[in-house]
Amino acid sequence: MKIRDRLSLQFTLIFAVLLLVVLATIYLLTYKYRASDFYDRLRDRALITAQLFLAEDNLSEAKFRAVQQKYPQSLPGEVVRIYNDRNQAVFLKDTSQQWAPSVIARVRDQGELMYSEGPARTVGLYYKDNSGNFVVLASAVDTYGDAGMRQLLWSMLSVLILSIVVMYFLGSLFARIALFPISKVINDVKIIRSSSLDKRLAVKEGKDEINELATTFNNLLEHLEQSFDAQRSFVSNASHELRTPLTSIVGSIEVTLGVEREREEYKRVLADVLAEAENLTNLVNDLFDLSNSNIDVNDFHDLRLDELLWQVKDEWSHLIPGSRIGLHYNLPDDPARYTIPGNSHLLFVALGNILKNAVKFSGNDPVTCAMTVQDDKVIISIEDKGIGIKPEDIPHIFEPFYRGTNAQTYDGLGIGLSLAEKILRLHGAVIQVASEPGKGTTFSIVFPV
Ligand code: ADP
C-alpha cells in the first residue's frame, strides 16, 4: 500500500474514532437527560394524583377523571394506581393495570422506585397520609422521547458516515499535497543513470526533511560520480601501462625479425623483451593485489607487528643492494599490545611498498623504521631523507597511478601507495604523511589494537 493511501486511511480512522466518541457522548447525555426528564414528569403525575385523592378522600373516580383531563400534561399510555396497605387498588377501581405485589412491596421498602419495562417507564412513590399509607404507581410510554432519540441516532449515523467519506477524500488530498515533494524527488531520481551521474536533485531554500533527503542523495551522487571517474581513469591508466611494454615488446620483435641478425643481437633483444615482460608481470601482480585486497575480515588471524616489520625490513634489505634500513623498537613487554588481527601477506605488501619508496626516493640514504606502542595504538613510522613530496602532490599520492611531479625520473607505476592505503584501511589503520621537498618524508601508520 502506498504511503499516501496509508496516511489518508490513518487520518480518516483517527477522525472517525474521535467523531464517534463525541457523537456517542452527545447521544448518551441526551438520552440521560430525556430519561430523567420523563421520570420527573412521571413522578409529578404520581404526586398530583396522590395529592388529589388523598387530600380529598371523597373525590369520586368520575371527578378524578375530570381533573386529570383538565391537567394539561397527560402522558402517552399513562396509567396511575394507588394501593393501600393490603396491596388493594383504591380510589381508582380500574383493574386493567395491576402491579405485582412484589413491585408494590419494593416501593414501600425503598420509598421511591423507578424502572423501565419494554417501552413503558414506571415511577412508584410511598405516600404517607393521615388517612393511611399508600403506594402510588404511575407508568407511561415516552413516545416522543423515544422517537426523538431514534431520529437523533439516525442523524448522527448519517453525519458520521458522510464525515468519514469527506474526511477520506480530504485526507488523501492532504497526503497528496504533503507527499508531492517526495513524488518529485522520485521522478527526478528515476532519470539518473550511471551515464548521467553529473545530474543533481533540486534543493530548495529551507531545512525540511525533503531538502535533507535531496542533499543526502546529492552527496551520494557526488561520491558515486567520483568513484566512477576514479574507476574509469584507473582502467584507462591500467590499459595504458599495459599497452606501453606490450607495444615495446611487439616493436622490438618485429624490427628484429625484419632482417637476419647476429646471434648476439638476438640475445640482446631477448634480454630487452624479458625485462619488459618482467615489468608487465610486476604490473599485473600489483593490479591483481589491488583488486584482490577486498578480503574478508573473517580470514584475519593474529599477527605480531614487530615480527612483520622485521620481515619486511629483511626482505627489502636483500632486494635493494646498498640499502641501509635501520630498525628501532620501543615496545612494552606484553606482545598482546602489538598483536593485531590481520592478513600477513597483504600487510607485508603494504609496508613493503612504503619502505621500498623510502629507499628508492632517497637514493639509498639511510632509512629509519620505528615502532612504538602508545595506549591502545601501535605506531610504525618509516622515515627517509630523500627528495620529499611537493605539498600539491600530497593529496593525490594515494590515488592509483598518481606519480609525484618530482618522481617522474624514478622507476615506478604509481600503484604502490594506493594499494598500501587500501590494505591498511581494511585493517582499520590510518596512514599519515609528513614531507618537505628536498629534506625527506615520514610515513606514519597507526594501528588500533
Ligand atoms: P611510485 O612509487 O611507483 O611512483 P607510489 O604509489 O608508490 O608510486 O607512490 C606515489 C607517489 O608518491 C610517488 O610517485 C612519489 O611522488 C610519492 N612518494 C611516495 N613515497 C615517497 C617517498 N618516500 N619520498 C618521496 N616521494 C614519495
Side-chain angles (χ1 to χ4, degrees):
M1 188 189 266
K2 285 191 166 183
I3 293 184
R4 198 175 56 204
D5 297 332
R6 204 164 51 217
L7 270 181
S8 38
L9 264 183
Q10 285 169 345
F11 190 64
T12 312
L13 197 75
I14 293 171
F15 173 79
V17 170
L18 273 179
L19 191 63
L20 196 71
V21 169
V22 171
L23 291 182
T25 312
I26 293 175
Y27 183 85
L28 283 177
L29 287 177
T30 313
Y31 180 83
K32 254 182 106 175
Y33 169 75
R34 290 212 68 130
S36 93
D37 180 56
F38 190 74
Y39 277 121
D40 284 350
R41 281 156 63 198
L42 212 53
R43 190 192 293 107
D44 286 351
R45 297 290 296 162
L47 215 57
I48 284 168
T49 311
Q51 281 170 351
L52 204 62
F53 281 98
L54 301 173
E56 187 57 70
D57 294 358
N58 297 328
L59 202 67
S60 67
E61 187 182 341
K63 193 96 187 259
F64 167 70
R65 292 264 176 242
V67 172
Q68 214 177 25
Q69 294 283 306
K70 273 187 203 158
Y71 190 70
Q73 277 189 320
S74 171
L75 301 169
E78 181 182 294
V79 179
V80 184
R81 286 286 173 275
I82 302 175
Y83 295 94
N84 63 14
D85 278 343
R86 278 162 280 128
N87 291 353
Q88 288 167 335
V90 288
F91 304 114
L92 296 162
K93 303 284 187 294
D94 188 351
T95 54
S96 62
Q97 167 79 29
Q98 285 283 2
W99 269 277
S102 60
V103 178
I104 300 167
R106 264 169 66 205
V107 177
R108 228 175 255 126
D109 279 356
Q110 295 170 16
E112 186 171 337
L113 182 72
M114 277 184 236
Y115 70 92
S116 66
E117 201 173 20
R121 287 163 180 80
T122 304
V123 168
L125 294 175
Y126 191 38
Y127 194 90
K128 291 178 182 169
D129 186 71
N130 50 3
S131 53
N133 296 334
F134 298 90
V135 169
V136 187
L137 276 153
S139 89
V141 178
D142 189 8
T143 324
Y144 303 119
D146 289 348
M149 288 315 291
R150 264 196 302 279
Q151 200 170 347
L152 183 66
L153 187 69
W154 282 115
S155 314
M156 282 179 163
L157 275 178
S158 323
V159 167
L160 183 71
I161 291 168
L162 200 75
S163 307
I164 288 176
V165 173
V166 171
M167 226 40 225
Y168 180 76
F169 286 109
L170 279 181
S172 63
L173 185 74
F174 174 79
R176 195 181 293 257
I177 294 172
L179 295 177
F180 174 73
I182 294 193
S183 311
K184 200 174 166 319
V185 168
I186 293 171
N187 288 338
D188 287 355
V189 171
K190 270 184 189 159
I191 53 172
I192 297 176
R193 295 274 173 279
S194 61
S195 54
S196 55
L197 283 176
D198 56 322
K199 286 201 166 65
R200 295 289 178 272
L201 301 181
V203 180
K204 295 209 185 89
E205 289 286 305
K207 276 202 145 212
D208 62 18
E209 285 80 356
I210 306 290
N211 272 353
E212 231 169 87
L213 178 75
T215 313
T216 314
F217 196 80
N218 282 347
N219 290 342
L220 176 71
L221 282 176
E222 189 75 41
H223 283 294
L224 277 179
E225 192 186 4
Q226 278 173 11
S227 134
F228 265 64
D229 284 350
Q231 297 281 351
R232 259 197 287 272
S233 71
F234 179 84
V235 171
S236 83
N237 280 328
S239 33
H240 173 77
E241 295 298 334
L242 286 168
R243 203 185 305 125
T244 311
L246 278 175
T247 315
S248 158
I249 290 173
V250 171
S252 298
I253 295 175
E254 275 175 357
V255 170
T256 314
L257 289 179
V259 282
E260 195 69 26
R261 295 182 190 270
E262 294 294 313
R263 185 183 154 81
E264 286 306 308
E265 183 67 8
Y266 284 125
K267 269 182 150 181
R268 192 190 57 76
V269 172
L270 274 178
D272 286 351
V273 168
L274 179 66
E276 292 291 0
E278 273 170 357
N279 273 346
L280 263 178
T281 311
N282 288 340
L283 176 62
V284 170
N285 283 345
D286 281 352
L287 288 175
F288 183 74
D289 279 341
L290 199 58
S291 66
N292 224 21
S293 54
N294 287 324
I295 41 137
D296 187 352
V297 284
N298 293 325
D299 291 344
F300 284 10
H301 55 265
D302 282 352
L303 57 101
R304 279 179 58 164
L305 286 172
D306 57 332
E307 288 173 2
L308 183 79
L309 187 61
W310 189 88
Q311 286 164 7
V312 174
K313 182 240 161 197
D314 193 49
E315 167 94 357
W316 285 101
S317 300
H318 284 100
L319 283 177
I320 311 178
S323 61
R324 284 174 287 162
I325 306 171
L327 195 52
H328 300 287
Y329 290 120
N330 181 10
L331 301 175
D333 291 338
D334 182 8
R337 294 190 59 194
Y338 40 90
T339 300
I340 62 154
N343 180 306
S344 57
H345 167 69
L346 289 177
L347 282 178
F348 189 86
V349 171
L351 293 179
N353 283 351
I354 298 168
L355 184 60
K356 179 180 70 178
N357 278 348
V359 176
K360 178 169 77 180
F361 290 115
S362 61
N364 285 2
D365 273 356
V367 169
T368 314
C369 297
M371 183 172 153
T372 52
V373 175
Q374 275 176 18
D375 304 324
D376 51 358
K377 285 183 236 142
V378 178
I379 302 163
I380 293 179
S381 63
I382 296 173
E383 185 185 350
D384 68 68
K385 306 268 178 250
I387 59 169
I389 308 169
K390 290 187 178 171
E392 62 270 26
D393 286 333
I394 288 184
H396 303 289
I397 55 172
F398 297 107
E399 293 168 13
F401 296 105
Y402 187 87
R403 306 206 66 213
T405 39
N406 59 350
Q408 304 295 331
T409 52
Y410 292 80
D411 274 354
L413 298 167
I415 291 180
L417 273 191
S418 64
L419 176 58
E421 193 271 340
K422 196 171 174 191
I423 292 171
L424 292 169
R425 194 164 12 101
L426 277 173
H427 287 80
V430 179
I431 179 165
Q432 293 157 349
V433 55
S435 185
E436 213 177 312
K439 295 217 165 140
T441 307
T442 304
F443 281 91
S444 307
I445 304 136
V446 183
F447 287 94
V449 177

